[in-house]
């Protein structure tokens, strides 16, 4: 069951389930949807998971997860143009966002900023990046051989290749399998992380920060590390997206992109690992389908979905369904439902 | 001499427009602790209301100062009744729901007005000071936002409605015990906040080409100004708009407009790192 990561000993069962489900999906899904579309759904799933980890389990509401997504994509594109080979750029695309997030996180968490203020700072940093990258159209903005290109973005970089062989591109169906395996790997890593003591302390911090710090845990350092891990995953997703789209543009940093990631997490379900992935893939596919008609505007429906979910199903689909499952078929072991950070915030009076 | 006058006017204008675009959000946040992320879209709708009214033949000042605020205020009332009132006290949920609303309104405006730029010309001509040309409309914006601040202060300080509103702001339970329904007060407050957003959007409409997504340009600035201002409504608004307006204009004149925008944002990050409760969390405590 998603959410019950505190049950020790079930790790092997969890890993088996992940492998089997991934295998089945990778085998069955291409019969329904083209692998080109599936690839981007997987990438969005990974992006959703990155926010789902830090928000759902760490209680850090980041309004700027798109910043790390964009940073990953741009790091990859710039490095790929300079090196002409994709292995090092992929590693950089994970490291650069992680380092930036660690610095930003240290700035915020050591300043003991919480909810709204955290939101403002992450939002502002995203805006700064967006504005800056948008204004880099001139020829003086060059990193190595790569021109930043302003709002036109960077096209024509080396896409993913077999490590060490720049001429052996990985594309089409093969790229789909690579992305699927990477998502499964990230999912497993997140599972292991959440089962480790670090993960359980992170959930403890989400529930009650003061209590955890009184118990002797360094809340600030742990939040910073978790934030950096989330950014690393988002960066990986960004690099994969750059490879998929074969161009990176400043819209990767946009507020709309950040909003979408948050919506995926809400709809899918916070405090679960599967929820954000399913939310991301599901909503992105819905958007894809809606994009094929022109009767109703796409943004209108996205907005409506968010409002309706916040009002009627604030915990998201996955927790709701698994709750239903437990109450119908469950064997009487009705454990206390894990409370999400949003629930905790709502009880605290906001003292402005 | 001429240049310094122009720079002074530009700075006043930057501060005033920040006050103008943040006022609606500040009222709603200061009184109700609700962050309305659809604020930018309320402004966008104010702009469209003005343009529609002007195209129907209404006088531009009437449509800006009367029709737009009332239209947007009514939209805000509907939104409050349908969505916001279910979410009072849940800060993050209201932010998410209003973010959803903002996307909804963008979609709606795109369906109604199309994804094209519309605009009206400024009703006040520009004039020359020495070698420099100044936009006369900037003075109008400075006057409107000064009147707005004075008006808000007057209403909150010296009218009965303002007294009730301030009371409900400090202790909603006490206000309820004295017979004033917080529910009603919140409804009225949200109406006023939305009307102010509509007014701001309408007044700024002649300066910008209006597209359904133009609300996004305002929301971040308004959000930053209000949060950095802190708990006091008017002192906070005035101090943070003053600070950010001056910072962004100094860098705009010294380097470039883009750097000016970035400097505003960097100033906000540094400010919040130093004063996490906003400016009035530390200074001017207890002022309005």
């Amino acid at each position: 069951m998603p959410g019950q990561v505190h049950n020790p000993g079930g790790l092997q069962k969890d890993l088996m389930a992940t492998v089997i489900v991934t295998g089945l999906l990778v085998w069955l899904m291409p019969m329904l949807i083209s692998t080109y579309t599936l690839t981007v759904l997987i990438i969005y799933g990974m992006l959703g998971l990155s926010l789902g980890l830090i928000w759902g389990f760490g209680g850090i509401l980041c309004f700027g997860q798109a910043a790390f997504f964009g940073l990953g994509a741009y790091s990859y594109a710039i490095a790929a143009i300079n090196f002409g080979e994709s292995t090092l750029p992929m590693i950089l695309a994970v490291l650069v966002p992680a380092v930036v997030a660690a610095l930003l996180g240290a700035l915020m968490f050591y300043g003991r900023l919480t909810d709204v203020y955290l939101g403002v700072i992450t939002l502002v940093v995203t805006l700064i990046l967006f504005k800056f990258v948008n204004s880099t159209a001139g020829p003086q903005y060059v990193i190595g051989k790569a021109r930043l290109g302003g709002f036109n973005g960077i096209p024509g970089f080396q896409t993913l290749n077999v490590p060490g062989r720049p001429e052996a591109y990985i594309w089409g169906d093969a790229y789909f399998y690579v992305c699927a395996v990477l998502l499964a790997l990230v999912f497993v890593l997140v599972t292991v992380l959440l089962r480790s003591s670090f993960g359980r302390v992170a959930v403890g911090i989400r529930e009650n920060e003061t209590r955890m710090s009184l118990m002797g845990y360094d809340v600030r350092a742990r939040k910073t590390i978790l934030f950096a891990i989330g950014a690393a995953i988002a960066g990986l997703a960004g690099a994969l997206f750059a490879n998929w789209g074969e161009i990176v543009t400043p819209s990767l940093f946009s507020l709309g992109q950040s909003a979408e990631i948050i919506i995926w997490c809400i709809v899918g379900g916070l405090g679960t690992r599967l929820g954000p992935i399913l939310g991301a893939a599901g909503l992105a596919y819905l958007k894809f389908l809606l994009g094929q008609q022109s009767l109703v505007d796409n943004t209108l429906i996205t907005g409506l979905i968010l409002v309706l979910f916040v009002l009627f199903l604030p915990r998201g689909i996955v927790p709701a369904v698994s709750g239903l499952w437990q109450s119908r078929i469950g064997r009487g072991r009705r454990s206390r439902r894990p409370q999400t950070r949003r629930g905790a915030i709502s009880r605290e009076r906001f003292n402005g | 001499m001429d240049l310094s006058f122009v720079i002074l006017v530009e700075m006043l204008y930057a501060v005033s427009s920040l006050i103008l675009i943040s006022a609606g959000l500040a009222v709603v946040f200061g009184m109700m602790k609700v962050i309305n992320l659809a604020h930018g879209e309320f402004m966008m709708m104010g702009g469209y209301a003005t343009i529609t009214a002007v195209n129907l033949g209404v006088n531009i000042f009437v449509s800006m100062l009367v029709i737009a605020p009332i239209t947007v205020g009514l939209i805000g009332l509907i939104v409050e009744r349908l969505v916001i009132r279910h979410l009072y006290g849940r800060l993050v949920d209201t932010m998410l729901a209003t973010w959803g609303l903002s996307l909804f309104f963008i979609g709606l405006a795109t369906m109604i007005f199309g994804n094209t730029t519309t605009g009206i010309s400024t009703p006040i001509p520009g004039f020359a000071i020495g070698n420099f040309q100044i936009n006369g409309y900037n003075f109008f914006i400075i006057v409107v936002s000064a009147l707005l601040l004075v008006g808000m202060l007057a209403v909150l300080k010296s009218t009965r409605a303002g007294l009730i509103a301030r009371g409900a702001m400090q202790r909603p339970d006490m206000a309820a015990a004295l017979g004033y329904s917080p529910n009603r007060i919140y409804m009225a407050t949200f109406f006023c906040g939305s009307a102010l957003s509509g007014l701001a959007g309408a007044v700024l409409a002649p300066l910008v080409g209006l597209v359904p997504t133009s609300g996004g340009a305002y929301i971040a600035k308004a959000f930053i100004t209000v949060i950095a201002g802190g708990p006091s409504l008017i002192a906070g608004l005035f101090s943070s708009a003053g600070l950010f307006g001056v910072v962004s204009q100094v860098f705009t004149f010294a380097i470039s407009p883009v750097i000016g925008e970035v400097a505003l944002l960097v100033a906000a990050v540094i400010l919040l790192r130093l004063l996490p409760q906003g400016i009035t969390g530390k200074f001017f405590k207890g002022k309005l």
Side-chain angles (χ1 to χ4, degrees), chain A residues 55 61 63 104 106-108 110-113 115-117 119-121 123-125 127-128 131-132 135 255-256 258-260 262-263 266 295-297 299-304 306-307 310-311 314 342 345-352, chain B residues 29 33 35 37 82-84 86-87 89-108 110-111 170 172 216-217 219-221 223-224 227 230-231 258 261-262 265-266 268-270 272-273 276-278:
Chain A
W55 186 16
L61 173 51
F63 271 37
L104 181 68
L107 175 87
M108 296 189 302
Y110 282 84
R112 297 199 182 280
L113 294 177
D115 36 278
V116 209
Y117 303 100
V120 182
I121 300 239
L123 184 102
V124 166
V125 169
L127 273 174
I128 293 177
K131 291 217 153 113
F132 173 72
S135 71
L255 275 187
S258 289
E260 239 168 85
I262 289 176
I263 296 170
I266 296 267
L295 185 67
V296 189
D297 190 82
T299 326
L300 185 136
I301 295 177
T302 318
L304 208 57
L306 180 57
V307 175
V310 173
L311 281 179
R342 290 197 303 135
I345 287 172
S346 66
R347 274 180 283 105
E348 285 164 18
R349 282 284 298 279
F350 175 70
N351 303 314
Chain B
F29 176 68
K33 298 286 171 262
I35 293 211
L37 286 181
L82 286 180
V83 179
I84 315 278
H86 303 290
L87 301 171
R90 288 155 63 188
L91 186 70
V92 176
D93 280 353
T94 41
M95 271 160 86
L96 296 169
T98 49
W99 200 338
L101 281 173
S102 92
L103 296 175
F104 175 81
F105 286 126
I106 291 174
L108 200 65
T110 314
M111 282 171 73
Q170 284 178 0
I219 179 62
K221 269 191 204 167
F223 189 30
I224 294 162
I227 298 287
V258 174
E261 298 261 294
V262 171
L265 299 170
V266 172
V269 172
I270 296 171
L272 275 184
R273 177 65 177 78
Q277 296 295 317

Side-chain angles (χ1 to χ4, degrees), chain A:
Chain A
M1 276 291 133
Q4 289 189 329
V5 279
H6 48 272
N7 170 22
L11 181 61
Q12 267 174 342
K13 230 169 79 183
D14 234 30
L15 293 183
M16 285 294 285
T18 310
V19 170
I20 292 170
V21 170
T22 313
L24 278 176
L25 285 178
V26 168
W27 178 46
L28 290 175
M29 288 310 277
M31 297 178 192
L32 302 172
I33 310 171
S34 75
T35 49
Y36 184 70
T37 315
L38 272 180
T39 310
V40 78
L41 296 187
I42 289 174
I43 295 168
Y44 282 152
M46 193 184 288
L47 184 57
L49 181 62
S50 76
L51 185 66
L53 172 67
I54 62 167
W55 186 16
F57 293 100
I60 305 165
L61 173 51
C62 175
F63 271 37
Q65 199 69 6
F68 305 123
F69 183 61
L71 266 180
Y74 265 84
S75 308
Y76 176 81
I78 292 166
I81 288 182
N82 283 315
F83 298 130
E85 206 270 342
S86 69
T87 315
L88 192 59
M90 282 308 273
I91 297 169
L92 277 177
V94 176
L95 284 183
V96 171
V99 170
V100 172
L103 292 175
L104 181 68
L107 175 87
M108 296 189 302
F109 300 125
Y110 282 84
R112 297 199 182 280
L113 294 177
T114 50
D115 36 278
V116 209
Y117 303 100
L118 212 70
V120 182
I121 300 239
T122 48
L123 184 102
V124 166
V125 169
T126 315
L127 273 174
I128 293 177
L129 276 172
F130 180 64
K131 291 217 153 113
F132 173 72
V133 176
N134 244 329
S135 71
T136 55
Q140 72 272 34
Y141 294 102
V142 180
I143 298 179
K145 283 183 265 175
R147 270 188 64 179
L148 288 178
F151 46 80
N152 293 321
I154 308 176
F157 44 82
Q158 168 87 11
T159 53
L160 196 67
N161 56 255
V162 178
R165 291 172 54 202
E167 71 293 341
Y169 294 109
I170 301 175
W171 59 284
D173 282 359
Y175 188 58
F176 162 67
Y177 293 123
V178 169
C179 288
V181 169
L182 280 176
L183 177 60
L185 272 179
V186 170
F187 187 79
V188 166
L189 283 179
V190 168
T191 308
V192 171
L193 181 79
L194 288 173
R195 281 176 179 282
S196 69
S197 76
F198 179 85
R200 276 174 288 175
V201 172
V203 174
I205 293 171
R206 176 191 79 194
E207 293 300 322
N208 193 329
E209 212 173 305
T210 318
R211 190 187 298 157
M212 292 317 274
S213 64
L214 287 176
M215 285 166 81
Y217 295 107
D218 189 345
V219 170
R220 301 165 301 179
R222 281 165 186 271
K223 277 175 119 174
T224 308
I225 294 171
L226 187 70
F227 193 60
I229 294 174
I233 299 174
L236 178 63
L240 293 176
F241 188 84
N243 273 311
W244 175 82
E246 297 181 9
I247 185 169
V248 293
T249 58
S251 68
L252 293 173
F253 293 105
S254 66
L255 275 187
Q257 182 74 53
S258 289
E260 239 168 85
I261 307 172
I262 289 176
I263 296 170
W264 295 337
C265 288
I266 296 267
V267 170
L270 278 175
T272 65
R273 291 159 299 151
L274 271 181
I277 301 179
L278 292 181
L283 286 181
Y285 190 59
L286 183 70
K287 199 174 169 186
F288 171 73
L289 291 180
L290 288 172
Q292 293 171 343
Q293 53 89 36
S294 55
L295 185 67
V296 189
D297 190 82
N298 219 328
T299 326
L300 185 136
I301 295 177
T302 318
L304 208 57
I305 290 175
L306 180 57
V307 175
L308 292 178
F309 266 87
V310 173
L311 281 179
F312 298 111
L313 205 61
R315 289 172 55 231
I317 288 177
V318 169
V321 169
S322 74
L324 207 67
W325 178 271
Q326 272 177 341
S327 63
R328 285 275 170 80
I329 305 162
R331 299 143 214 156
R333 33 163 221 186
R334 304 190 64 183
S335 57
R336 268 192 65 205
R337 285 174 179 165
Q339 222 149 18
T340 63
R341 177 69 189 144
R342 290 197 303 135
I345 287 172
S346 66
R347 274 180 283 105
E348 285 164 18
R349 282 284 298 279
F350 175 70
N351 303 314

